[in-house]
Amino acid sequence: MVEKSHKIHYAWLILVSAVAILGGVVGIFVNCTSILFSAIIQELGFRSGDLSIFYTIRALTQAATVGIATRLFFSKNPKIVMTCLASFGAIAYIAMYFYSKLWQWYISGILVGISMSCVMVVIPIILNNWFKVKNGLVIGIAMASSGLSGAIFNPILSNMIINIGWRKTAVFTGIIAFLIIVIPTVLILSITPEQKGLKPYGWEFIQSEESTKATKKSNAINIPKNIAIMTTLSIILASIMTQFGNQLPIFAQSLGYTISVGATVASLSMIGNVFGKLMIGAISDKIGILKAVNLNSIIIAISMILLLFSSSSPIIMYLGSLLMGLVFSMCTTVPPLVYIEVYGKDDYQYHLSRFQSYNSIILALASSLLPYIYDFTGSFNGALILGFVLTITSFVLFNIVRVKSEKLKNK
């Protein structure tokens, strides 16, 4: 009776809040950093690798705090916890207005790491609580918001940097991201439909005990430990080149292009980011997440080849950047869907939280390694070749996992 009084199920408002939270945290606090940093490097003369230690510190802080932040989010008032996390990110950017020393950006790296600590874990869990059907598509839409937000705000911030300077732009970045995160958090966010006296969206399709058991059986694969390790390794290897996305404006500048062109490249990458996450979410519901990931890996490998030859034409660079945006789905949309497939909807949360810790540590190392390759060689070609090799390796591992897991399902 309660459901009939709602023309639009509240679950869709939850999706709106998830879109806003990920758009603010990942889309602005994370994906818009590079356009600021390209201007900071130009004005203050920092080496790309030295400033990129910010990314390393940010990722290590995320790895260290994801477990604590996740527990606090689910055990305390989630609205207060998310508001506090957004405050850390806002302070990190507003403080940049006063910075002139390299080490000061490392402090902001700690604050942003805390801010982004648990969103990639708690948002998929909340969405799975509220949606019993269309999980892949819904998670894909939520994760795509970070790319859409980056695509919108990168050119805006680029124009602001040109007109008012990067310092005031950094302040604006902190304030606007905070508002985008906090307003829907306070007004909408709820962890479970039961807290609102509602049933989850699509509950009628799995309400009988028999269908629930069948769903659990079809979702969970009781796989050996070595296959579970291989699954995690596959995702991590595929995720490493997300850190090259932070370098795209600098990559464009290294080829002799202006900061405006760098912003265009970053925006194209974010458009690919959006498309990749939506594609993974939608087709995983149709053909399965493991096959969807393999298709994604092929496209990402092609993007690396295009970027390697992009010095001959900006069109090739634009196309390569657009396709490379699909790599962001590998550390956002892919992990929850893969772990749901492997461990089932009741048991994947713990494994997803552990993955985020492992992945953050590896990405922390990659965030410094990739720009230092440029600093010491004068070219990003080494980083792109490394990315191609990692993507192909991930593709091979995912195919092994897919074949073995299908055999286990048949048994």
Side-chain angles (χ1 to χ4, degrees):
M1 297 298 292
V2 177
E3 296 294 329
K4 292 181 180 179
S5 64
H6 289 76
K7 292 182 180 180
I8 298 177
H9 197 288
Y10 197 84
W12 296 106
L13 294 178
I14 293 295
L15 178 58
V16 170
S17 67
V19 164
I21 291 168
L22 287 170
V25 176
V26 183
I28 299 179
F29 283 153
V30 178
N31 290 342
C32 290
T33 308
S34 59
I35 195 66
L36 278 171
F37 278 14
S38 61
I40 292 166
I41 289 169
Q42 206 171 46
E43 180 178 316
L44 299 182
F46 299 136
R47 290 194 307 179
S48 174
D50 291 342
L51 187 57
S52 291
I53 292 175
F54 167 95
Y55 300 123
T56 304
I57 293 171
R58 184 182 71 186
L60 289 174
T61 303
Q62 180 190 15
T65 56
V66 58
I68 298 171
T70 301
R71 286 194 296 273
L72 287 173
F73 185 88
F74 288 115
S75 63
K76 305 298 181 182
N77 187 322
K79 296 184 178 184
I80 294 175
V81 173
M82 188 57 68
T83 300
C84 290
L85 294 176
S87 299
F88 281 115
I91 291 169
Y93 276 84
I94 293 170
M96 290 181 190
Y97 180 87
F98 304 98
Y99 289 174
S100 59
K101 305 294 184 182
L102 185 65
W103 61 267
Q104 293 170 321
W105 271 274
Y106 300 160
I107 296 174
S108 283
I110 294 173
L111 295 175
V112 177
I114 296 171
S115 179
M116 63 186 288
S117 58
C118 70
V119 290
M120 301 305 297
V121 177
V122 301
I123 294 300
I125 292 173
I126 291 172
L127 292 175
N128 273 305
N129 288 342
W130 277 93
F131 288 88
K132 294 306 179 185
V133 294
K134 302 181 179 179
N135 299 76
L137 177 61
V138 167
I139 291 176
I141 291 171
M143 296 300 177
S145 65
S146 61
L148 180 60
S149 180
I152 292 171
F153 278 95
N154 266 311
I156 292 174
L157 297 179
S158 173
N159 288 328
M160 290 182 69
I161 289 170
I162 293 170
N163 292 313
I164 63 174
W166 64 263
R167 294 184 184 276
K168 292 179 181 178
T169 303
V171 174
F172 171 82
T173 302
I175 293 172
I176 194 66
F178 176 83
L179 294 175
I180 289 172
I181 297 163
V182 171
I183 291 174
T185 293
V186 173
L187 296 179
I188 301 173
L189 189 64
S190 179
I191 293 176
T192 65
E194 289 76 18
Q195 292 176 347
K196 291 286 185 180
L198 300 171
K199 297 286 188 180
Y201 180 82
W203 68 276
E204 61 272 16
F205 296 108
I206 57 166
Q207 58 185 322
S208 70
E209 185 177 353
E210 292 76 17
S211 64
T212 301
K213 289 179 180 179
T215 302
K216 289 181 180 179
K217 183 178 180 181
S218 65
N219 279 335
I221 308 171
N222 188 19
I223 61 172
K225 187 174 181 180
N226 65 319
I227 302 300
I229 293 171
M230 194 179 298
T231 302
T232 298
L233 181 61
S234 302
I235 305 173
I236 289 175
L237 290 178
S239 299
I240 286 175
M241 285 306 286
T242 58
Q243 300 307 297
F244 189 77
N246 297 323
Q247 306 301 320
L248 278 172
I250 301 170
F251 171 69
Q253 285 181 295
S254 74
L255 298 179
Y257 297 105
T258 64
I259 189 170
S260 296
V261 173
T264 301
V265 169
S267 292
L268 286 169
S269 174
M270 291 300 102
I271 292 170
N273 180 340
V274 173
F275 175 76
K277 291 170 182 176
L278 291 174
M279 181 190 76
I280 283 285
I283 68 176
S284 68
D285 288 336
K286 303 292 184 182
I287 66 173
I289 182 61
L290 298 180
K291 290 181 180 178
V293 169
N294 282 330
L295 174 62
N296 206 37
S297 297
I298 293 171
I299 298 173
I300 294 167
I302 292 171
S303 77
M304 302 293 173
I305 296 173
L306 290 171
L307 289 173
L308 273 170
F309 294 96
S310 62
S311 60
S312 62
S313 169
I315 302 300
I316 296 175
M317 179 181 65
Y318 290 152
L319 180 59
S321 300
L322 179 68
L323 295 181
M324 191 190 168
L326 274 66
V327 76
F328 291 97
S329 65
M330 291 298 200
C331 62
T332 53
T333 311
V334 167
L337 295 178
V338 167
Y339 283 111
I340 288 171
E341 173 74 13
V342 172
Y343 295 105
K345 292 184 178 180
D346 291 336
D347 301 319
Y348 79 97
Q349 296 97 324
Y350 168 73
H351 301 283
L352 180 61
S353 180
R354 286 207 307 176
F355 161 79
Q356 290 296 345
S357 294
Y358 301 150
N359 197 45
S360 294
I361 293 170
I362 298 299
L363 295 188
L365 300 175
S367 64
S368 292
L369 172 64
L370 298 181
Y372 272 125
I373 289 175
Y374 169 71
D375 286 335
F376 291 121
T377 66
S379 170
F380 281 107
N381 286 349
L384 290 169
I385 292 170
L386 174 63
F388 179 82
V389 172
L390 292 174
T391 303
I392 295 301
T393 304
S394 173
F395 175 81
V396 172
L397 290 175
F398 257 116
N399 270 290
I400 295 172
V401 170
R402 180 180 61 82
V403 171
K404 288 185 176 292
S405 61
E406 284 177 356
K407 287 181 180 179
L408 288 168
K409 270 187 176 182
N410 291 333
K411 289 181 181 180

